Amino acid sequence: MVDPSLFAGVDCLLQKAQKDDFAFLALIILTGIFYNIYIKEKPDPYHHVWFEKPQTADANAREADTRDIGVKLEESKKDLVIFWGSQSGTAEGFANRLVRDCRSRFGLDALLADLSDYDPESISNIPSTKLAIFIISTYGEGDPSDNATQFLSWLDTNKTVQFSKLSYAAFGLGNKKYKFYNKVVDVVVEALDRSGAISLLPVGKADDSNGTTEEDFTEWKQSLFSLFQGKLGFVERPAQYEPTLKVIEDTSLDIIDLHLGEPIKSRTAKKGSAQTSPIQPLPVKTAKELLATEERNCLHLDLSLHDFPELKYKTGDHLAIWPANPSSEINILLFALGLQPKTETPLLIQSLESGVKVKVPSPTTWQALLRHYLEISGPVPRETVLSLAQFALDESSKATLKQLGEDKDAYHAYCSMNHVTLGRLLASLNPTPGAWSGIPLSFILESLPVLAPRYYSISSSSIVSPKTVSVTVATSSEPSPGHSICVPGLTTSYLSSLESHTRSITSTEFTFPSDSQLTLYSQVRTSKFRLPTLPKHPIILVASGSGLAPFLGFLTERARLASIGREVGHSLLFFGCRSPSEYIYKSELEALQTSSREIEVVSAFSREVGKEKKYVQDRVEERGEEVCRMLVEENAYFYICGSASMARDVKARVEGMLGKRVGWGEREVREWSEAMRKGRRWQEDVWG
């Protein structure tokens, strides 16, 4: 038997141990609390700032602090507001210039306003003592810019808000070669007038089809300023330059702090309805020439998406590619401005005006600005030429600049004979290094537009090649219409040099890494150019030149669907180019026809030696009976990709054929055409 006293002793020991454990645990807890409250170092709430790129304390870089434009105008004590809706940056650039001109010529403080920054209904709160100006672009098939989409949608549904106090003026940017020329500004003006707003002068409209966008804006602005002086009683003062930006050299910044080439996604691009992917440096898998001709060529590029799983595309989308400026243009401008010793000096760029935003990344360097962020290879607007006259040191240069800036005919004659970039213009007037160092650096930043990406139709299929995106880029060394010299395209020159680099041909204009993977900063943009949801629908494709690109993706996808047993309708492609030597993707198209009996390609050559000239629209008309049957009886989808003039002619031919073969009158043909577009059975991806 076990002595019961033994259990009693053990129980006593356990109780004592538990008390000691509880006491020890309590001591640990109290010690921890004391350490966290009195001893432990507090985390710095601003610790993350050490790891960010130092940015200027620019209030304009932030979102609008109020969504009510009426409140904003009163708080900022501005005289007028200039709204902009811009896709490529041109309308935004015009709005920026108008802000500066209102200040320098009339002493008027204008608020520059992104349409997506303010609630549309708040426009009714703008006081009757202030003005509103709208500068809005139209692109594609009458589409608004990304940042104007919400504004247009609200105007379309507004039934209650009135703009009876609003006085306004409007200017639109468009292209007459497109069916819906300047549709967006027309919609805006109609909606404003319907809601009681007062238009101060006729709507101005730019036409990019003949390259007169700058002149159209200048003439409209002169009408606006005449209104200021006359009806509104504003007093014009002698024009004088007043900077809106401040450029500060800051050698304390390390290279890791600087923006040295990576594109900065537009803040407004995130607000619109169009879907855009993040900007990424995509590795170049393939870069090759498709033609052997010297005057005209095409490049084929394959870019890898393997390292970017979040970046996806669909067949028919567009790819934006960011170019770089050539070394020759950079050096000409650096020498003219006397900036050679300061190309790598860190710069901080700050806004001096509450209505002006810093449009380029900061901090950065002049080398990065001129290589990656500013459009220095484009023509200098006539207004800018005239503004440069005030900084000329000699009377001869001043006289020349004033003549070119004031005389439209003299300016156009000069541009037709010369490649007029800012650097080339300054060097032609005075080639002495540093001769133009008196031009304020802020003026350079304000006058040059931001370097924008160029968009190309994707030529691959997302079903067949989900991790590779392909584009086709047309190049030419022929003079453009109205010019006696060839002005090389910026992006095409950049990509041509990249292609040459893959063949170990060194470029003097562009630098590419020799010991690492070639990449291109790119971004996918969603397109409305889409194949039928049901592949059994027949499709008719009409393309000229590099307009073949998206259709190569279309046919590749339909051939793959047919190969796995899907029911796929007939695909009839009409492709036109100048001669058989310029027939791009010929072997690929022949292989697709071999792989699927439902794919048919009809070619047209407009300059084939010894044969009758045939355009792609001629071939469509030759197959008129079949085309009409496919459209009317088989519910075929119709697609056009290429020049806008070609698309207009094709449309006219098809509508004419339908009238004759089906027996429709003008009204029936028009109703059919409108129904086709509304149902997305007639789609166009055209340019110029």
Side-chain angles (χ1 to χ4, degrees):
M1 295 292 294
V2 179
D3 186 355
S5 63
L6 179 61
F7 290 104
V10 171
D11 185 58
C12 181
L13 288 172
L14 289 173
Q15 290 180 5
K16 185 177 181 181
Q18 288 176 352
K19 292 178 181 178
D20 291 342
D21 290 341
F22 285 133
F24 183 68
L25 180 60
L27 179 63
I28 291 176
I29 292 173
L30 290 172
T31 303
I33 293 173
F34 181 82
Y35 172 77
N36 279 283
I37 294 177
Y38 297 104
I39 300 177
K40 183 180 178 182
E41 182 180 357
K42 301 290 192 305
D44 181 1
Y46 302 103
H47 181 65
H48 65 281
V49 175
W50 289 97
F51 303 98
E52 294 181 349
K53 291 185 177 182
Q55 304 297 324
T56 60
D58 179 16
N60 296 296
R62 300 193 299 268
E63 299 284 340
D65 48 7
T66 175
R67 298 281 303 174
D68 190 318
I69 187 61
V71 172
K72 181 65 176 179
L73 279 172
E74 292 291 353
E75 289 179 348
S76 58
K77 295 181 172 55
K78 298 294 183 180
D79 300 302
L80 69 156
V81 56
I82 301 175
F83 292 105
W84 60 269
S86 183
Q87 193 63 32
S88 64
T90 304
E92 182 183 5
F94 284 169
N96 268 287
R97 281 159 55 180
L98 188 55
V99 167
R100 297 197 302 269
D101 290 344
C102 286
R103 178 67 179 274
S104 64
R105 293 180 61 174
F106 294 93
L108 296 172
D109 283 332
L111 175 68
L112 186 68
D114 180 334
L115 274 170
S116 61
D117 275 346
Y118 298 94
D119 295 326
E121 59 269 26
S122 72
I123 293 176
S124 63
N125 298 330
I126 295 177
S128 58
T129 56
K130 301 182 187 295
L131 309 176
I133 296 174
F134 297 85
I135 301 180
I136 306 175
S137 66
T138 299
Y139 82 101
E141 297 187 46
D143 298 318
S145 59
D146 291 350
N147 73 312
T149 300
Q150 180 185 357
F151 178 60
L152 267 290
S153 298
W154 182 86
L155 288 177
D156 185 52
T157 58
N158 173 45
K159 305 297 182 185
T160 58
V161 179
Q162 293 294 304
F163 299 126
S164 55
K165 297 185 297 181
L166 181 68
S167 297
Y168 78 93
F171 182 80
L173 289 80
N175 187 315
K176 278 188 176 177
K177 289 185 178 179
Y178 290 82
K179 179 180 180 181
F180 301 101
Y181 168 63
N182 264 309
K183 177 184 177 181
V184 176
V185 75
D186 287 340
V187 169
V188 169
V189 167
E190 181 183 349
L192 293 176
D193 292 348
R194 188 172 60 244
S195 299
I198 301 171
S199 176
L200 297 174
L201 77 162
V203 179
K205 293 183 179 180
D207 179 17
D208 195 44
S209 65
N210 52 15
T212 61
T213 297
E214 283 281 348
E215 289 296 339
D216 295 334
F217 176 69
T218 299
E219 291 178 5
W220 173 82
K221 189 169 65 172
Q222 289 172 349
S223 299
L224 178 68
F225 287 167
S226 295
L227 174 78
F228 282 4
Q229 292 174 289
K231 183 177 180 180
L232 300 182
F234 297 146
V235 178
E236 185 171 11
R237 62 186 187 181
Q240 53 184 348
Y241 174 66
E242 296 183 13
T244 60
L245 300 173
K246 179 167 63 173
V247 182
I248 305 170
E249 295 182 0
D250 189 347
T251 56
S252 68
L253 294 171
D254 197 350
I255 189 171
I256 197 174
D257 302 324
L258 308 178
H259 294 282
L260 296 176
E262 71 281 9
I264 304 299
K265 185 173 182 178
S266 170
R267 177 170 59 86
T268 59
K270 303 174 184 178
K271 302 176 181 178
S273 60
Q275 296 295 316
T276 54
S277 74
I279 303 168
Q280 300 290 6
L282 300 184
V284 179
K285 295 175 61 177
T286 306
K288 63 180 181 181
E289 291 183 336
L290 297 176
L291 303 175
T293 57
E294 292 184 3
E295 295 81 11
R296 297 160 66 89
N297 212 322
C298 273
L299 301 176
H300 176 88
L301 299 172
D302 292 326
L303 308 179
S304 174
L305 306 180
H306 282 277
D307 296 334
F308 307 99
E310 78 284 359
L311 203 160
K312 304 180 187 302
Y313 76 98
K314 290 185 178 180
T315 309
D317 281 344
H318 297 125
L319 188 73
I321 295 179
W322 269 261
N325 287 305
S327 297
S328 59
E329 291 296 337
I330 296 172
N331 292 333
I332 290 173
L333 189 52
L334 286 173
F335 271 83
L337 299 175
L339 291 174
Q340 311 95 299
K342 301 181 178 181
T343 57
E344 303 297 339
T345 302
L347 304 173
L348 283 173
I349 303 167
Q350 298 177 344
S351 175
L352 298 175
E353 292 283 341
S354 59
V356 178
K357 300 174 182 178
V358 178
K359 61 186 179 182
V360 293
S362 174
T364 184
T365 66
W366 279 112
Q367 181 65 33
L369 284 169
L370 301 185
R371 175 73 76 179
H372 300 288
Y373 297 126
L374 294 173
E375 186 81 74
I376 67 170
S377 301
V380 186
R382 187 161 61 91
E383 280 191 318
T384 303
V385 173
L386 183 59
S387 297
L388 285 168
Q390 63 187 303
F391 307 116
L393 294 181
D394 60 275
E395 291 302 319
S396 174
S397 297
K398 180 178 291 187
T400 301
L401 289 170
K402 291 189 71 173
Q403 180 192 16
L404 293 175
E406 294 173 348
D407 187 334
K408 180 169 64 174
D409 294 334
Y411 171 78
H412 286 296
Y414 184 79
C415 290
S416 68
M417 300 294 294
N418 299 276
H419 183 191
V420 188
T421 64
L422 178 58
R424 290 170 184 259
L425 176 64
L426 297 178
S428 67
L429 294 170
N430 191 333
T432 306
W436 297 93
S437 59
I439 299 178
L441 299 180
S442 55
F443 178 88
I444 301 297
L445 293 175
E446 292 162 357
S447 301
L448 290 171
V450 174
L451 188 60
R454 274 56 169 176
Y455 289 88
Y456 300 96
S457 297
I458 292 176
S459 54
S460 53
S461 163
S462 57
I463 290 179
V464 178
S465 307
K467 291 299 181 182
T468 299
V469 60
S470 304
V471 292
T472 307
V473 181
T475 65
S476 175
S477 59
E478 298 177 336
S480 56
H483 291 78
S484 59
I485 60 170
C486 174
V487 179
L490 178 61
T491 308
T492 54
S493 297
Y494 178 61
L495 296 178
S496 294
S497 294
L498 182 144
E499 187 277 331
S500 297
H501 180 80
T502 64
R503 295 183 284 118
S504 301
I505 300 176
T506 303
S507 169
T508 58
E509 295 286 17
F510 303 99
T511 302
F512 300 101
S514 56
D515 56 350
S516 61
Q517 173 69 58
L518 288 175
T519 60
L520 287 173
Y521 279 110
S522 308
Q523 176 187 49
V524 173
R525 179 187 173 120
T526 300
S527 168
K528 297 178 181 179
F529 208 57
R530 289 283 185 263
L531 280 167
T533 304
L534 298 177
K536 67 179 181 180
H537 283 289
I539 60 173
I540 301 170
L541 314 172
V542 183
S544 60
S546 60
L548 177 60
F551 297 152
L552 183 63
F554 280 17
L555 297 179
T556 301
E557 184 160 311
R558 285 169 75 89
R560 173 61 62 87
L561 292 174
S563 71
I564 61 175
R566 294 286 299 277
E567 181 184 356
V568 178
H570 187 55
S571 302
L572 177 59
L573 167 66
F574 295 93
F575 171 62
C577 57
R578 299 203 302 184
S579 67
S581 64
E582 296 183 6
Y583 194 153
I584 60 175
Y585 296 119
K586 182 179 181 180
S587 60
E588 288 85 350
L589 292 175
E590 290 174 345
L592 287 169
Q593 291 183 89
T594 302
S595 69
S596 174
R597 59 186 178 86
E598 291 296 341
I599 293 177
E600 181 182 1
V601 179
V602 179
S603 58
F605 304 114
S606 61
R607 300 186 189 180
E608 187 174 9
V609 178
K611 293 191 177 182
E612 183 183 0
K613 179 184 295 185
K614 288 290 183 180
Y615 291 99
V616 67
Q617 47 266 47
D618 298 326
R619 296 300 190 197
V620 172
E621 195 165 29
E622 289 174 0
R623 302 283 290 267
E625 184 176 347
E626 180 181 1
V627 168
C628 290
R629 186 188 73 251
M630 291 177 67
L631 288 172
V632 177
E633 299 177 14
E634 301 175 14
N635 294 321
Y637 282 59
F638 200 97
Y639 300 85
I640 307 176
C641 189
S643 70
S645 57
M646 178 272 289
R648 283 200 312 274
D649 198 4
V650 169
K651 180 176 180 292
R653 301 272 187 111
V654 171
E655 291 179 348
M657 292 187 308
L658 286 169
K660 292 178 181 178
R661 297 176 184 274
V662 185
W664 288 345
E666 184 178 335
R667 181 177 60 83
E668 288 87 356
V669 170
R670 184 174 63 253
E671 290 176 350
W672 173 87
S673 178
E674 292 174 354
M676 287 284 286
R677 286 184 179 275
K678 288 181 180 178
R680 304 297 300 165
R681 285 181 53 211
W682 185 290
Q683 300 180 37
E684 297 179 6
D685 186 357
V686 299
W687 54 85

